[in-house]
Amino acid sequence: NKIEQLRLRLRRDSDIGIHGILDSQAVRYYEEKEDDKNYIDIRSPFFRDVDRIVHSKAYSRYIDRSQVFFDLNNANITHRSLHVVLVSRIARQIGRVLKLNTDLIEAIALGHDIGHPPYGHLGEQILDNISKKYKMGGFLHNAQSIRWLTYLEKRFPKKPANGLNLTLQVLDGILCHDGEINEQKLKPKKNNSKTWNDHFREYNDCFNENIIKRIPMSNEGVVVRFADAISYIGR
């Protein structure tokens, strides 16, 4: 039918290579059932996650949040709102060459710094010190991004906040995007092998011992991690 033809135009799993995550492999924590039976969403799962992130309140807070330096009189200083777009562009280009899922890449890239405070990693370190001083656990911006997207955001204005119900692959890429800037190689232990239990174990560790080495479960997440470093160094 026409609806199925539109879906196929947006994305075909056959367009994605053997190292990418297929749209059919997307996993959400809550099964979603639309109240309106006449409503048909032709978007792929990761495409839908991109829209949910971009239209979130947390995403709008990227505006005027500095990346490293802050100077109201200098319009050329990079802000988070520009940084995530640059990461997305770089990562999508790499992903296109490698035949990865570019919708998944875009969702991870646009959401990866939502929990980042102003003043770059210095601001993050200050909040981390304060959190530990008052025995509130640590503060890591990648974990804060997950907190916003999973618990604090609202999908529907008139309903309680219970997150955006993003896919596991997107949340994992966001949580695991932060790594050493001098990494020369990285790959998932096994592509698309993590479970929700694995994800929450890594998330909770961020507020406690922070001893787990977080590696993305997808090559898309790995690409974003490297693109983040490229964008940071390049601008």
Side-chain angles (χ1 to χ4, degrees):
N1 57 34
K2 291 184 178 180
I3 298 299
E4 191 59 32
Q5 289 175 356
L6 285 172
R7 284 199 179 102
L8 290 174
R9 284 184 184 179
L10 283 175
R11 163 71 70 205
R12 292 181 180 177
D13 276 351
S14 59
D15 294 336
I16 301 172
I18 60 173
H19 300 295
I21 301 294
L22 305 179
D23 288 330
S24 57
Q25 293 176 308
V27 179
R28 296 192 190 278
Y29 194 76
Y30 299 107
E31 182 182 357
E32 296 182 352
K33 295 181 179 179
E34 301 297 340
D35 296 331
D36 185 356
K37 294 183 179 180
N38 295 318
Y39 174 79
I40 299 175
D41 196 333
I42 64 172
R43 298 170 298 172
S44 67
F46 301 126
F47 194 106
R48 203 176 309 164
D49 281 1
V50 172
D51 287 342
R52 291 182 183 183
I53 290 170
V54 169
H55 291 287
S56 68
K57 290 184 177 180
Y59 187 84
S60 66
R61 293 188 177 94
Y62 274 138
I63 299 174
D64 289 335
R65 192 182 306 173
S66 60
Q67 184 176 353
V68 179
F69 305 105
F70 184 76
D71 185 355
L72 289 173
N73 298 317
N74 189 343
N76 296 314
I77 287 180
T78 300
H79 288 64
R80 289 286 161 193
S81 55
L82 175 59
H83 169 68
V84 296
V85 172
L86 293 175
V87 172
S88 177
R89 296 302 302 163
I90 294 169
R92 281 170 59 87
Q93 182 62 37
I94 297 172
R96 185 176 290 111
V97 173
L98 298 178
K99 297 195 72 174
L100 301 179
N101 193 317
T102 53
D103 288 338
L104 173 55
I105 286 174
E106 184 174 24
I108 297 171
L110 294 180
H112 81 276
D113 270 352
I114 272 180
H116 215 305
Y119 309 113
H121 290 282
L122 176 60
E124 182 179 26
Q125 185 61 55
I126 291 172
L127 290 177
D128 185 56
N129 293 337
I130 293 173
S131 298
K132 290 177 179 177
K133 178 180 178 180
Y134 291 98
K135 302 185 185 304
M136 299 166 59
F139 181 93
L140 296 174
H141 76 276
N142 49 332
Q144 184 69 4
S145 297
I146 299 300
R147 184 167 178 258
W148 267 110
L149 297 170
T150 305
Y151 300 106
L152 302 180
E153 280 288 343
K154 290 184 177 183
R155 278 189 64 203
F156 306 103
K158 295 183 179 180
K159 293 186 178 181
N162 61 352
L164 301 179
N165 196 28
L166 301 181
T167 56
L168 172 61
Q169 290 87 349
V170 169
L171 292 173
D172 173 79
I174 291 173
L175 182 64
C176 300
H177 83 269
D178 199 30
E180 296 299 327
I181 201 166
N182 60 352
E183 282 177 334
Q184 295 184 8
K185 60 182 180 180
L186 184 70
K187 66 177 182 178
K189 293 180 179 178
K190 185 178 179 182
N191 202 27
N192 203 35
S193 62
K194 290 184 186 178
T195 65
W196 282 110
N197 286 336
D198 296 326
H199 171 71
F200 288 120
R201 179 170 57 86
E202 292 182 352
Y203 169 73
N204 290 326
D205 178 67
C206 294
F207 300 99
N208 295 294
E209 291 87 359
N210 191 28
I211 57 175
I212 297 176
K213 181 175 175 58
R214 292 177 291 275
I215 299 175
M217 68 186 290
S218 67
N219 287 300
E220 286 83 355
V222 170
V223 166
V224 171
R225 186 153 153 172
F226 277 109
D228 188 25
I230 293 170
S231 175
Y232 184 84
I233 295 171
R235 185 162 181 174

